[in-house]
Amino acid sequence: MNATENYSIRVEPTQNSRLSQVDFDNLKFGKILSDHMLVADYDDGEWKDVSIVPYGDISFSPSMSALHYGQAIFEGIKAYKFADGTVSIFRPDRNWERFNKSAARLQMPEVPEEIFMDGLNKLLDIDRNWVPAKEGSSLYIRPFMFATEAALGVHPSKSYKFIIITGPVGAYYSKPISLKVETYYTRAAEGGVGFSKNAGNYALSLYPTQLANDEGYDQIMWTDASEHKYIEEAGTANLIFRIGDTIITPHGDTILHGVTRRTIMELAEKWGYKTEQRKVSVQELIDGIKAGTVTEAFAAGTAATITDISRIGFEGQDYNLPPVEGREFSNKVLHYLNELRYGKVADPFGWNYLVK
């Protein structure tokens, strides 16, 4: 089903493109935004006014519900440019599915596939020249939705705004990272919203992350809320370990169901690795590092892609992992994903969504 069959997308091209001002050889993550954005409004039980307009500020009421009661969700997706100029978005259908799961948990309306997917296609077709051609760079895509009802009172908003903005980016992390195991502050509890990509999950991470930064660590390794015994995820990404010959990732409803994590685990199974999605205790990880059975540890996410972990701090002591260059699995999967996403190898999975 095409968006134009049910949702007429109005297009207002920019008269002042900023493309010529961009230094594509020096891209800082999240600092540069493309010329256009997709905007849609929800009111009276339906989506309406789907438009692609020049990127710019929007106005809102000080009593807007999202500012007071936190109904705000988002996604992160990336698009890549092949050598022949083709623009490809990596697995956006999975992000659309996860976006709507987040919406349901926060009592927000689902965004129809015709608006999300076809709107995304049309937006990137218009701004295709913003997709970097340099390997290691990509176009970061940020779909988000927030409550817009101008009224105080704790209840689901009656109106919402859905927006997609994009921007060219380089690497989120430029080197392997260090993590501090967090044993006091909590990211999410069972029955909560840990699996959803909502703004509040990131707001509460800022203070403990700063404390970890002050101690010389790049990020936090979150643990469970009840005992702080089990590993959950890193500050901005899922976690994956190689313990013995098994590729293992923590799993549960407190953990974001990452598209990159899912992709990596699917590849591991296809390549014949043993895989497990289960609870991983901090003690199991530390004992494995000391015994030499934990040979690989990395963060996985849309922004982070695959970022190796160099050391882990726990209870005042650092535990160093093996050198990155000797890590068989993470290097293999990163190389393969780069080849796949830049169109250098065939796509047997149908993961590349080609912009038409």
Side-chain angles (χ1 to χ4, degrees), residues 121-339:
N121 180 83
K122 195 159 192 173
L123 177 64
L124 264 65
D125 183 32
I126 292 170
D127 277 345
R128 62 173 58 243
N129 290 333
W130 283 83
V131 184
K134 182 179 179 181
E135 188 165 334
S137 299
S138 57
L139 187 79
Y140 187 76
I141 303 165
R142 171 55 60 85
F144 61 105
M145 177 167 58
F146 55 94
T148 56
E149 183 180 357
L152 301 181
V154 182
H155 62 267
S157 175
K158 293 182 174 62
S159 61
Y160 298 86
K161 191 176 288 288
F162 172 65
I163 300 176
I164 303 178
I165 57 177
T166 72
V169 298
Y172 193 82
Y173 293 112
S174 58
K175 60 180 180 60
I177 59 174
S178 58
L179 301 182
K180 176 194 173 185
V181 177
E182 181 54 60
T183 57
Y184 178 74
Y185 294 101
T186 297
R187 175 187 172 274
E190 290 187 8
V193 294
F195 69 89
S196 68
K197 203 166 178 67
N198 70 86
N201 280 351
Y202 295 81
L204 63 78
S205 74
L206 301 178
Y207 178 66
T209 299
Q210 184 59 59
L211 296 180
N213 293 161
D214 292 343
E215 294 181 36
Y217 298 97
D218 298 305
Q219 264 296 347
I220 279 176
M221 179 180 285
W222 291 110
T223 54
D224 69 286
S226 59
E227 299 178 279
H228 293 292
K229 286 176 56 177
Y230 295 97
I231 295 164
E232 298 209 326
E233 60 182 68
T236 55
N238 292 129
L239 291 167
I240 298 178
F241 310 105
R242 183 175 184 178
I243 303 178
D245 291 326
T246 306
I247 308 301
I248 302 172
T249 187
H251 185 70
D253 72 354
T254 57
I255 297 171
L256 186 70
H257 299 165
V259 177
T260 304
R261 181 187 71 161
R262 175 177 183 158
T263 298
I264 292 167
M265 299 303 285
E266 288 174 355
L267 286 173
E269 290 180 4
K270 179 177 176 58
W271 292 340
Y273 290 90
K274 182 181 177 183
T275 65
E276 293 178 359
Q277 297 187 42
R278 62 167 174 83
K279 285 188 174 183
V280 179
S281 72
V282 177
Q283 198 59 55
E284 177 186 4
L285 181 67
I286 298 304
D287 289 346
I289 294 173
K290 291 193 290 187
T293 55
V294 175
T295 55
E296 304 188 44
F298 57 92
T302 300
T305 308
I306 293 174
T307 302
D308 286 290
I309 298 167
S310 58
R311 66 185 172 98
I312 295 170
F314 178 57
E315 294 183 341
Q317 185 169 344
D318 282 346
Y319 299 89
N320 295 312
L321 284 120
V324 171
E325 55 270 19
R327 301 185 190 184
E328 176 201 25
F329 180 73
S330 65
N331 286 328
K332 177 180 179 179
V333 74
L334 179 59
H335 175 76
Y336 180 77
L337 283 177
N338 282 338
E339 295 280 290

Side-chain angles (χ1 to χ4, degrees), residues 80-83 88 337-346 352:
Y80 301 83
K81 184 168 285 184
F82 296 176
S88 173
L337 283 177
N338 282 338
E339 295 280 290
L340 180 68
R341 292 180 300 193
Y342 289 103
K344 296 181 178 181
V345 295
N352 289 329

Side-chain angles (χ1 to χ4, degrees), residues 25-42:
D25 290 323
N26 294 286
L27 296 172
K28 293 184 178 180
F29 199 98
K31 299 295 185 182
I32 303 167
L33 283 306
S34 308
D35 279 334
H36 298 89
M37 60 184 184
L38 182 137
V39 182
D41 291 306
Y42 181 90

